[in-house]
Amino acid sequence: MKELEARIKRDGRVLGEDVLKVDSFLNHQVDPVLMHKMGQEFYEYFQDKPITKVLTVESSGIAPAVMTGLAFEVPVVFARKHKSITMNNDMYVADVYSFTKKTTNKISISKNFLSKEDHVLIIDDFLANGQAVSGLTNIIQQADATLEGIGIVIEKTFQKGRQLIDHQNIPILSLARIKAFKNGQVVFEEE
Amino acid sequence: MKELEARIKRDGRVLGEDVLKVDSFLNHQVDPVLMHKMGQEFYEYFQDKPITKVLTVESSGIAPAVMTGLAFEVPVVFARKHKSITMNNDMYVADVYSFTKKTTNKISISKNFLSKEDHVLIIDDFLANGQAVSGLTNIIQQADATLEGIGIVIEKTFQKGRQLIDHQNIPILSLARIKAFKNGQVVFEEE
């Protein structure tokens, strides 16, 4: 998505070797008009799938997920993040390891909002090491629901996230694909 | 907003004396089409104000805030919640006391995203005891920005939130105003 790539070039800040800060339009301050266009891109790509639900993780996934849900006119469920959680029978729970923070968090979704009838589109802000998407995929399996596709705002193709997903034969659309950071600049994959 | 009231009546669950669970369309599962309509209601009410930014708190405020930002075509900033936070010069920080959890959290906003030029519309999912709105108001004061209005999805008028705000002469729009829970049913204020 050219407009997103231009925005990353203009407003993204590269920190160290593998961190891209996009808190001026995606993670802390959000550009709703851009989010709306991203939702429509995801819709165009996945519109032939019988999507019944969009799934994401709080908080940065919510804005793009809600705009995608608006395009599909289906509910959006955002998984809650917890440092710890008391297991109970009302929730699906999965682990999400953070490579940057070197901690494992739990994510959870109420069983009321995901069932085996659901055809799910996962939307998330980043695909890097693939831990959040793996946690969501795990929850979809627990619910016996069908994963139809994965939509990512920014993928870092030099990290191992996509490898984790690719062998499952799930269609993935990443709106911006970064192959490297070079001298503090973002280098995108060719389209 | 009649559609929201009908939805609360249909899908809201009253727990105990003063808790309303709306996690099937607002707090955990989100109805994006309803959120979009709510964003338009807020826009219609506050469109004469020179809004430059919409402010909310993660996570439940994000969906209605982003839809409001879409209508105004202005950025949305969501405050981060923290159990504790190391004070630093890059962030505005305020306390938010939770009456249900009996704990104080910190909320923070990067100084990059709020300044004295900003005219702010606060959007939040609930107005009950007014602690989240007070925290955001405090941050707006720290930034020397102008608070132009407050948009609330669900107000519980029998709690003291509005009293905290009313004396400041800030326009408030609550899309649903609940005056009581009676035998497990929601009773709305007359319009």
Side-chain angles (χ1 to χ4, degrees):
Chain A
M1 189 182 174
K2 285 294 164 204
E3 182 178 347
L4 176 62
E5 291 185 0
R7 191 65 174 270
I8 292 169
K9 282 216 183 266
R10 195 188 77 184
D11 293 337
R13 286 179 299 140
V14 177
L15 302 182
E17 290 196 350
D18 58 2
V19 174
L20 174 69
K21 278 207 102 170
V22 286
D23 57 357
S24 65
F25 60 93
L26 183 58
N27 291 143
H28 180 22
Q29 179 167 263
V30 175
D31 178 342
V33 176
L34 180 63
M35 297 296 132
H36 187 237
K37 289 178 188 165
M38 294 182 340
Q40 288 174 320
E41 291 271 321
F42 289 130
Y43 176 75
E44 275 166 37
Y45 192 82
F46 293 110
Q47 62 180 308
D48 296 336
K49 308 280 178 188
I51 307 296
T52 62
K53 211 151 268 193
V54 172
L55 214 62
T56 191
V57 180
E58 67 178 353
S59 290
S60 310
I62 295 175
V66 167
M67 291 302 181
T68 308
L70 181 66
F72 278 98
E73 299 187 0
V74 301
V76 175
V77 181
F78 59 89
R80 296 277 188 186
K81 268 183 210 160
H82 316 258
K83 287 238 156 50
S84 64
I85 185 172
T86 316
M87 291 286 182
N88 71 49
N89 286 328
D90 304 329
M91 289 194 289
Y92 304 115
V93 180
D95 285 335
V96 173
Y97 180 74
S98 163
F99 282 86
T100 36
K101 295 180 189 164
K102 296 189 175 53
T103 53
T104 299
N105 282 308
K106 307 277 185 191
I107 58 170
S108 73
I109 285 179
S110 163
K111 289 186 180 175
N112 291 331
F113 305 129
L114 195 63
S115 76
K116 68 181 191 322
E117 280 76 37
D118 279 316
H119 293 257
V120 180
L121 175 58
I122 290 177
I123 297 289
D124 208 6
D125 56 339
F126 270 98
L127 179 63
N129 290 297
Q131 299 299 300
V133 168
S134 295
L136 289 173
T137 305
N138 180 316
I139 281 176
I140 290 166
Q141 285 165 349
Q142 291 178 46
D144 231 349
T146 308
L147 176 57
E148 295 284 355
I150 299 173
I152 299 292
V153 179
I154 301 173
E155 176 181 351
K156 294 191 279 185
T157 61
F158 56 92
Q159 289 178 309
K160 64 174 190 182
R162 185 176 282 255
Q163 292 167 42
L164 269 182
I165 306 164
D166 251 358
H167 67 94
Q168 301 176 56
N169 259 332
I170 305 293
I172 309 175
L173 174 65
S174 299
L175 300 182
R177 303 187 71 208
I178 294 171
K179 71 173 171 189
F181 299 124
K182 216 168 174 175
N183 305 324
Q185 297 296 309
V186 176
V187 185
F188 293 103
E189 299 273 352
E190 305 292 324
E191 276 182 17
Chain B
M1 186 182 175
K2 285 294 165 205
E3 182 178 348
L4 176 62
E5 290 186 1
R7 191 63 173 274
I8 292 168
K9 280 215 184 269
R10 196 188 78 184
D11 293 338
R13 287 179 297 139
V14 177
L15 302 182
E17 290 195 352
D18 58 3
V19 174
L20 173 69
K21 278 207 100 169
V22 286
D23 57 358
S24 66
F25 62 93
L26 183 58
N27 292 143
H28 180 22
Q29 181 168 260
V30 175
D31 178 343
V33 177
L34 181 62
M35 297 297 131
H36 187 237
K37 288 178 189 165
M38 293 182 340
Q40 289 174 319
E41 292 271 322
F42 288 130
Y43 176 74
E44 276 166 37
Y45 192 81
F46 293 109
Q47 62 180 307
D48 295 336
K49 307 280 178 187
I51 306 296
T52 62
K53 212 150 268 192
V54 172
L55 214 63
T56 190
V57 181
E58 66 178 355
S59 289
S60 310
I62 296 175
V66 168
M67 291 303 181
T68 307
L70 181 66
F72 277 97
E73 299 187 358
V74 300
V76 175
V77 181
F78 59 89
R80 296 277 187 186
K81 268 183 210 160
H82 317 257
K83 286 237 157 52
S84 63
I85 186 172
T86 316
M87 290 286 180
N88 70 51
N89 285 328
D90 304 330
M91 289 193 290
Y92 303 114
V93 179
D95 285 335
V96 173
Y97 180 74
S98 164
F99 282 88
T100 38
K101 294 180 189 163
K102 296 186 176 57
T103 53
T104 299
N105 282 309
K106 306 277 185 191
I107 59 171
S108 73
I109 284 180
S110 163
K111 289 186 179 175
N112 291 331
F113 305 130
L114 195 63
S115 76
K116 67 181 191 321
E117 278 76 39
D118 279 315
H119 292 256
V120 180
L121 175 60
I122 290 176
I123 297 289
D124 208 6
D125 57 339
F126 271 99
L127 178 64
N129 290 297
Q131 298 300 299
V133 168
S134 295
L136 289 173
T137 304
N138 180 314
I139 281 176
I140 290 166
Q141 284 163 349
Q142 291 177 46
D144 231 348
T146 308
L147 176 56
E148 295 283 357
I150 299 172
I152 299 292
V153 179
I154 301 173
E155 176 181 353
K156 295 191 279 185
T157 60
F158 56 91
Q159 289 177 309
K160 64 172 188 181
R162 185 176 282 255
Q163 292 168 42
L164 270 182
I165 306 165
D166 251 356
H167 67 94
Q168 301 176 54
N169 259 332
I170 304 294
I172 309 175
L173 175 66
S174 300
L175 300 181
R177 303 187 71 206
I178 295 171
K179 71 172 171 192
F181 298 126
K182 214 168 175 176
N183 306 321
Q185 297 296 309
V186 176
V187 185
F188 293 102
E189 299 273 353
E190 304 293 325
E191 277 181 15

